[in-house]
């Protein structure tokens, strides 16, 4: 089966093709290359042949013989989405819906969409399930709900969308991101031997390793159609709901001599615990292989192996908002985020 993965130069997008190719899929990629400069370490895995193109310009010819799309290319995470909310809507909402419509029109049979647990927003009682109400707090999260809303009605006998509401990712990737909680704390622990938090660390965050997200995608592609047809899955493991405080404690435990300081500001209302029972019972072959402790150890091993400097940790190529701000300031991309 020929699979098009969008966002193959991304944190998750570069981890997926090797896994799919190993399972016998033919993989091609698309990416506009916003974070091309960010490459933390060499990996031995194969890379997919990637078309250098904006998803808003993908044409029917680009989808020739493609049977499934895994759509990852968006402005990813809450702060990045706030940088230019209008463009976030253009790429993440309109761009993604256009791609799904085009896919359906040309006969692509499966469309796996990277949604996010951030659609759930603020604190609730008990563990959130897929049918719980969404409550997006940012343009990024709202776009995820809008894509789900607009792509679900496209499902028919020949077109099966699947919506993966991923927990917050962690773990090593050659296209590293240090703007996600566990990776950020690990980078701080390595470079400054200190984690200083302004908050009290009580909010809950469900976490999932990038490789487990990729495994979920592979399982969804392998699965019989009736299991994934127009389904929403929370992607993660219920045991991997952590308080931010616990994540910091795990890091401090693994990174030697790391000092841990908590503040008493509890203002961050983005706190949620998520149930991952559905994906673990319904999707054949899926089970997370990683927890936060293993991910922290993996990062420690990578940082030590590459002798990571503070400059590398701070480099714009590994923090999405910094890199996009740089591309805007230097006028390499225009107001619509197209390359000049
Ligand atoms: N990393 C997480 O914690 C997480 C959690 C939940 C959901 N997700 C979702 O998974 C997907 C992949 O996440 P990621 O962490 O790999 O993100 P990323 O930002 O590292 O990668 C996204 C890639 O898409 C490309 N891209 C962005 N806009 C584009 C456009 N208009 N045209 C073509 N390419 C474009 C970028 O250049 C980048 O290489 C995203 O949709 C994200 O919202 C990620």
């Amino acid at each position: 089966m020929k699979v098009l993965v969008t966002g193959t130069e991304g944190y998750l997008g570069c981890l997926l093709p090797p896994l799919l190719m190993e399972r016998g899929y033919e993989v091609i990629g698309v990416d506009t290359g916003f974070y091309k400069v960010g490459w933390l370490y060499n990996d031995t895995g194969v890379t997919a042949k990637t078309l250098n193109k904006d998803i808003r310009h993908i044409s029917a010819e680009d989808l020739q013989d493609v049977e499934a799309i895994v759509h990852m290319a968006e402005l990813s995470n809450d702060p990045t989405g706030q940088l230019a909310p209008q463009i976030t809507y253009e790429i993440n909402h309109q761009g993604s819906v256009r791609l799904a419509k085009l896919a359906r029109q040309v006969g692509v049979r499966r469309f796996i969409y990277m949604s996010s647990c951030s659609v759930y927003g603020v604190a609730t009682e008990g563990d959130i399930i897929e049918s719980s109400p969404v409550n997006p707090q940012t343009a990024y999260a709202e776009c995820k709900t809008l894509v789900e809303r607009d792509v679900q009605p496209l499902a028919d006998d020949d077109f099966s969308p699947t919506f993966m509401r991923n927990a917050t990712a962690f773990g090593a990737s050659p296209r590293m991101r240090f703007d996600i909680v566990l990776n950020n704390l690990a980078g701080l622990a390595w470079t400054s031997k200190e984690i200083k938090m302004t908050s009290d660390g009580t909010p809950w965050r469900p976490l999932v390793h990038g490789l487990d997200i990729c495994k979920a995608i592979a399982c969804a592609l392998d699965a019989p159609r009736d299991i994934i047809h127009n389904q929403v899955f929370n992607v993660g493991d219920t045991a991997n709901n952590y308080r931010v405080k616990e994540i910091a404690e795990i890091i401090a435990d693994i990174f030697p001599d790391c000092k841990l300081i908590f503040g008493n500001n509890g203002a961050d209302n983005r706190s949620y615990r998520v149930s991952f029972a559905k994906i673990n019972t319904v999707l054949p072959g899926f089970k997370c292989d990683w927890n936060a402790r293993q991910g922290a150890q993996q990062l420690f091993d990578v940082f030590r192996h590459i002798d990571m400097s503070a400059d590398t940790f701070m480099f714009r190529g590994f923090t999405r908002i910094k890199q996009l701000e740089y591309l805007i300031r230097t006028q390499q991309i225009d107001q619509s985020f197209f390359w000049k």
Side-chain angles (χ1 to χ4, degrees), residues 238-288:
T238 309
N240 287 344
N241 282 290
Y242 298 93
R243 288 190 188 275
V244 175
K245 190 176 162 38
E246 283 178 80
I247 303 170
E249 284 164 353
I250 290 170
I251 302 277
D253 199 30
I254 291 198
F255 286 71
D257 308 322
C258 176
K259 216 163 96 191
L260 200 52
I261 304 160
F262 294 105
N264 47 18
N265 177 1
D268 186 350
N269 67 351
R270 289 181 314 136
S271 175
Y272 45 90
R273 280 185 54 96
V274 174
S275 163
F276 299 94
K278 179 177 174 183
I279 192 165
N280 280 281
T281 48
V282 170
L283 192 62
F286 181 75
K287 189 184 164 299
C288 284

Side-chain angles (χ1 to χ4, degrees), residues 7 9-13 30-35 53-56 71-77 91 114-116 140 144 166-169 177 180 213 320:
E9 291 176 357
Y11 173 63
L12 302 174
V30 173
D31 202 297
T32 191
F34 287 147
Y35 315 107
K53 202 168 190 175
D54 195 290
I55 58 145
R56 290 167 288 178
H71 180 38
M72 296 192 159
E74 287 189 354
L75 298 178
S76 179
N77 87 10
I91 294 175
M114 291 288 102
S115 188
S116 165
Y140 167 75
K144 296 291 189 198
N166 301 295
T168 298
R177 303 291 176 247
I180 35 185
I213 292 179
R320 287 165 279 214

Side-chain angles (χ1 to χ4, degrees), residues 15-30:
L15 297 176
L16 180 63
L19 198 81
L20 295 185
M21 290 182 207
E22 212 172 89
R23 292 189 182 215
Y25 292 97
E26 182 191 348
V27 183
I28 54 168
V30 173

Side-chain angles (χ1 to χ4, degrees), residues 104-124:
R104 180 177 183 257
Q105 199 182 310
V106 302
V108 174
R109 299 185 70 83
R110 292 191 181 198
F111 186 84
I112 300 185
Y113 179 64
M114 291 288 102
S115 188
S116 165
C117 284
S118 66
V119 299
Y120 298 121
V122 291
T124 49

Side-chain angles (χ1 to χ4, degrees), residues 136-152:
Q137 301 292 303
T138 60
Y140 167 75
E142 195 185 8
C143 284
K144 296 291 189 198
T145 65
L146 294 174
V147 175
E148 291 187 9
R149 181 199 70 186
D150 293 347
V151 174
Q152 273 160 357

